[in-house]
Amino acid sequence: MFVVGGESLIDLVPVSAEADAERVAHAGGSPFNCAIALSKLGNDTGFLCPISQDEFGDVLLAPLAEAGVTVLLKDRVAAATTKAIVSFNAKMQASYVFERGADRAFTREVLLAALPEKVSLYQIGGFCPILEEDARVWRDVVDAAATRGATISIDINVRDKLIDDEAGYRARLGQFLDKAHLVKLSDEDHAWLEPGMSIEEHAAELLARPHCALVVVTMGEQGSRAFSRSGEAAAPIHRPPVFGDTVGAGDSLMAGILTWLDEAGALRPDRLAGLAPGQLEAMLRFGAVVAGINCGRVGCQPPSRAEVDAVLSA
């Protein structure tokens, strides 16, 4: 099973650019989105995050069930659902202000008890390093997944508006990065983490960490890049016929990359490092199609595997 651990939340999204005060609720959160995208691409996927008893918890459970994601924490919690107030710039790129709640309503014992015995892939959520008391628990979950044979991935997803202690956050993030075999980040994450450093230098720094064997960098309209210990590659975005917005684009791309790697027999630490440029390009192109189809819709609505295959075969 693929397991994605981390936040789920409700995105409160403006109805239009002209009516920012009028908002509609969409289920979201980067790990939540990625889990749904993975399952819709045909992967046996579990989601590890508390779900609230409130009405927004029902909103979160519906798309998980529709996509066939296994909700690993069966008992719902009293804390209110975490919320993100979404705004868009002129290019319809999203930014967020957060109100946290149920995504933090866990204990070490509950998370470890819910982790399956067989985990082939464990993905670390972007909120996990933000607070020390949470990070301590999530680090133990990652270690438990690794001992069960899981390849470890992380989508960094810096949320600077939630970070009160930058030095502490950087240290905690570094601890998670030291556990990861695959690291994904955006060009915005890169600019925040390593201002003045080139993407190539940053990728090399990540690959020098104890376990990292593959780095993927997304660059908005400029496409994506990948770096292994055996080469690098780039791929353009896939442009949908009609553009919706970019919500969940990176999460969808990540799901596509993980799916491609698994089907290629490369989602193992010893094989990630050996990915050659041609393989990296094919991986990025598959991920770009998954992300591009999602961007043809409003909100995060990852495609089915049939939709992806139809584009690839056209």
Side-chain angles (χ1 to χ4, degrees):
M1 174 178 276
F2 288 4
V3 175
V4 185
E7 69 275 8
S8 61
L9 49 83
I10 289 294
D11 287 322
L12 297 175
V13 182
V15 173
S16 68
E18 294 76 25
D20 188 64
E22 187 179 352
R23 297 178 182 274
V24 63
H26 293 293
S30 177
F32 174 91
N33 293 339
C34 189
I36 287 173
L38 282 167
S39 189
K40 292 181 75 171
L41 290 173
N43 302 289
D44 180 21
T45 307
F47 182 52
L48 188 63
C49 175
I51 303 293
S52 176
Q53 298 168 359
D54 65 19
E55 61 182 7
F56 285 140
D58 296 336
V59 174
L60 291 169
L61 286 174
L64 291 169
E66 182 181 358
V69 177
T70 300
V71 177
L72 296 173
L73 294 174
K74 307 299 183 185
D75 295 330
R76 294 171 67 173
V77 298
T81 297
T82 297
K83 301 173 186 65
I85 295 87
V86 184
S87 299
F88 295 104
N89 63 16
K91 294 184 177 181
M92 290 303 290
Q93 294 171 319
S95 60
Y96 305 84
V97 175
F98 297 95
E99 298 175 0
R100 297 189 71 180
D103 77 287
R104 298 192 60 221
F106 56 75
T107 65
R108 174 183 286 100
E109 292 72 25
V110 165
L111 292 183
L112 290 175
L115 189 69
E117 283 303 315
K118 294 183 179 180
V119 186
S120 57
L121 179 283
Y122 182 89
Q123 175 145 314
I124 302 164
F127 282 14
C128 294
I130 289 174
L131 297 170
E132 174 57 32
E133 56 266 39
D134 295 349
R136 284 196 300 267
V137 175
W138 285 116
R139 286 196 297 269
D140 287 348
V141 175
V142 175
D143 289 342
T147 63
R148 298 175 195 191
T151 296
I152 307 298
S153 63
I154 182 170
D155 189 346
I156 292 178
N157 241 330
V158 173
R159 299 301 191 189
D160 57 335
K161 292 182 175 64
L162 283 174
I163 299 169
D164 296 326
D165 171 19
E166 182 176 332
Y169 170 77
R170 287 177 177 274
R172 291 187 291 274
L173 176 61
Q175 291 169 342
F176 283 104
L177 291 173
D178 281 345
K179 298 177 185 294
H181 303 108
L182 191 168
V183 176
K184 175 189 167 292
L185 66 160
S186 68
D187 53 356
E188 293 176 339
D189 296 330
H190 161 71
W192 191 90
L193 289 167
E194 297 293 351
M197 180 182 286
S198 71
I199 287 175
E200 294 84 356
E201 290 169 331
H202 194 180
E205 182 183 82
L206 290 167
L207 287 168
R209 288 181 177 271
H211 299 293
C212 184
L214 177 62
V215 175
V216 174
V217 184
T218 58
M219 302 179 297
E221 293 183 350
Q222 303 306 309
S224 56
R225 299 179 68 181
F227 305 82
S228 75
R229 295 177 183 172
S230 300
E232 62 180 83
I237 64 171
H238 169 72
R239 295 186 183 276
V242 178
F243 180 72
D245 60 42
T246 61
V247 176
D251 309 320
S252 298
L253 183 139
M254 183 65 164
I257 284 172
L258 293 170
T259 299
W260 187 95
L261 289 168
D262 185 53
E263 293 179 0
L267 193 58
R268 287 173 35 183
D270 59 333
R271 295 187 179 175
L272 290 173
L275 289 168
Q279 294 172 296
L280 295 173
E281 183 179 359
M283 175 193 75
L284 292 175
R285 288 187 179 277
F286 186 92
V289 170
V290 179
I293 296 172
N294 178 78
C295 289
R297 300 157 178 171
V298 176
C300 184
Q301 300 185 57
S304 67
R305 181 57 185 267
E307 290 176 301
V308 175
D309 288 343
V311 171
L312 291 170
S313 63

